[in-house]
Amino acid sequence: MIYVKNLTKIFGDHVAVNHLNFDIQPGDVVGFLGPNGAGKSTTMKMLTGFITPDDGEILIDDLSIFDDPKKIKQKIGYLPEGAPAYGDMTPLQFLNFIAAIRGLKGDLKRQRISHVINKIDLQSVLDKPIDNLSKGFKRRVGLAQALLHDPQILILDEPTDGLDPNQKHQVRELIQNLAKDKIVIISTHILEEVTALCNRVMIIAAGQMKFNGTPKELIAKSKYHNAITLHLSYPSDTSGFLDVPGILEILPDRANGKVTLIIQPGYDILHEVNKHIHERKLPVDTLFVEQGRLDQVFREMTQGAEV
Amino acid sequence: MGMVWTLLKREIASFFATPVAYVFITIFLILSAVFAFFIGSLYEREQADLLPFFNFHPWLYLFLVPAIAMRTWAEERKSGSIELLMTLPISTLQAVVAKFLAAWAVLGLSLLLTFPLWLTINYLGNPDNGVVVAAYVGSWLMSGAFLAIGMCMSALTKNQVVAFILAVVVCFLFVVSGSNIVLDAFKGWAPSIVIDTVASFSFLTHFESIAKGVIALNDVGYFLISIVIWLYASLLIIERKKAD
């Protein structure tokens, strides 16, 4: 498990990470969300031992990053931001080099290398210098490198950045199919990725934790959570909805004829809304219950916190 | 040690995967021959030794070694691969040592490839081959000191050109510190101990005696200690600046 307490990093007079506290259990797939410059990458760099925290504590499987950095690094597979690699090497040479550094030998080494090559579909570029590969392939070589030693902890900084939709899907599937007792931490700008992949979301802004919970809890924070959106065939008076108990607000969208009803938390009023529509004979042709809007929650939590 | 070996192999492969090693070796061979024959008058002296060849090595290294050292850390930091390297289960010391040994091996290979000169003087006369071997060892040691300085300068910056210029300047100071240009500046006001100390930092003085076949402990020790100090300095710099 990962245990982080009071983690702080200061660059000059800029506090990049400000007293962060969290812990992550095996089996957790955690998504770091946050605006650019929020401290996500800095936090990852500290977890992987690349930079030293100015204050606080990181314990990974009861090992301290200050006392046993080498043992911790053995447990972690890391894809740094931008997937850097040695451009003059081919993916095959690169993976062989990483495998040797990771202490893989003989049959196990061959087996692991061919395993990640198959998993990540690198066959077609194995003998081309990494410098000549497309952005998507470079990212995948970086992923292969991180997965090579079958690490207990996988830390991926923007793993799907620069991939096309098919490749994104492939990488998400790959992460989902990892053994269930591993820890995966990804950072991303794609909000949907978090709900698709993660069972924990941490929103970081200005170096501080703004939210730490499940994607469901996050979406429940949206004022659109359980909101009912209906579409009217022709304009019609909908102000009567305010008489239905539990409806807080009516948000008409004149451009496309949609009306969104914001519901007070705790009320389940789909039935009441239906009744109201029938009584007033409103020209409703579609109606659905919203899950919530992640982008709106994200904006509310991180606004004013941008650097 | 196993880690150092793995890293070392990668570094050497990288020298030969890019034109760096080939260009370096070719230029080194051409320049060392040009200096030895045309400026050092290897033939005209009619003496069976390689002094004219070795005498120019400090000046050759002054420009060539910074050229091979400049990429070592600057490139890692610029491309970001240092983040990958430093999050692998290796120590910074292992990385520093491996990078140094790899480049030093390329320098050693360049020196070995000058063997036709050695064959030539053996064909023309009867040189003291002990002196020649000592001079080769001395030259390689000295190139190591140049290299350690160059790598330290490369650790200071992400820009290879800046690294090259810094390295040439610092190396130049160490080459000329024993010469009269520098010592005259101290004479007259500094106590003799200062002048002696400055003079004793000179690569030239230490190399000259080895080139004549005298392998004294203090000369060999000087180059070895220089290597260790400059590599240690680069280690400290990298630890501090790797994430900048």
Side-chain angles (χ1 to χ4, degrees), chain B residues 9 85 162 185 218 232:
Chain B
K9 277 194 297 189
L85 185 68
V162 173
N218 70 334
Y232 186 66

Side-chain angles (χ1 to χ4, degrees), chain A residues 45 50-51 73 78 86 101, chain B residues 3 76 83 86 242-243:
Chain A
K45 283 175 186 173
F50 181 57
I51 55 178
K73 286 171 184 178
Y78 178 39
Y86 290 112
I101 290 282
Chain B
M3 287 297 163
E76 292 260 6
E83 188 168 354
M86 293 299 169
K242 62 187 175 189

Side-chain angles (χ1 to χ4, degrees), chain B residues 26-194:
Chain B
T26 313
I27 302 283
F28 179 80
L29 294 179
I30 293 173
L31 284 183
S32 61
V34 166
F35 279 138
F37 285 106
F38 294 106
I39 305 175
S41 323
L42 192 82
Y43 274 130
E44 293 81 352
R45 285 169 81 239
E46 298 192 340
Q47 283 180 31
D49 63 21
L50 283 178
L51 259 185
F53 167 68
F54 286 113
N55 276 342
F56 289 102
H57 279 196
W59 305 103
L60 262 180
Y61 289 152
L62 180 58
F63 291 97
L64 289 182
V65 176
I68 209 162
M70 66 183 188
R71 61 196 284 274
T72 43
W73 292 107
E75 192 176 69
E76 292 260 6
R77 284 180 53 201
K78 183 130 196 163
S79 75
S81 56
I82 191 164
E83 188 168 354
L84 182 86
L85 185 68
M86 293 299 169
T87 50
L88 291 171
I90 57 159
S91 65
T92 311
L93 177 67
Q94 287 170 327
V96 169
V97 170
K99 276 178 181 291
F100 173 78
L101 291 179
W104 207 21
V106 173
L107 292 172
L109 178 66
S110 319
L111 270 179
L112 284 179
L113 289 176
T114 60
F115 72 94
L117 270 180
W118 177 68
L119 292 180
T120 309
I121 54 160
N122 269 286
Y123 174 75
L124 294 172
N126 287 312
D128 184 341
N129 283 323
V131 173
V132 173
V133 170
Y136 266 113
V137 171
S139 177
W140 191 50
L141 279 171
M142 180 173 62
S143 74
F146 276 98
L147 182 63
I149 292 175
M151 286 179 63
C152 186
M153 297 303 125
S154 177
L156 276 175
T157 169
K158 279 183 190 175
N159 188 315
Q160 297 195 29
V161 177
V162 173
F164 176 79
I165 293 170
L166 285 176
V168 170
V169 170
V170 176
C171 288
F172 182 71
L173 291 179
F174 273 88
V175 170
V176 297
S177 69
S179 73
N180 288 332
I181 322 168
V182 174
L183 295 182
D184 283 348
F186 286 91
K187 270 178 196 153
W189 61 274
S192 62
I193 181 154
V194 173

Side-chain angles (χ1 to χ4, degrees), chain B residues 189-201:
Chain B
W189 61 274
S192 62
I193 181 154
V194 173
I195 298 175
D196 287 348
T197 312
V198 172
S200 73
F201 280 137

Side-chain angles (χ1 to χ4, degrees), chain B residues 12-29:
Chain B
I12 291 187
S14 155
F15 274 123
F16 287 96
T18 54
V20 176
Y22 300 105
V23 170
F24 178 85
I25 291 172
T26 313
I27 302 283
F28 179 80
L29 294 179

Side-chain angles (χ1 to χ4, degrees), chain A residues 11 83 110 138 152 181 214 229 248 256 267-268 279 281 306:
Chain A
F11 295 117
R110 273 191 293 279
K138 278 184 190 159
Q152 271 310 107
D181 59 342
T214 64
T229 296
L248 288 175
N256 53 20
Y267 276 78
D268 183 14
E279 278 168 10
K281 300 210 163 29
E306 265 119 298

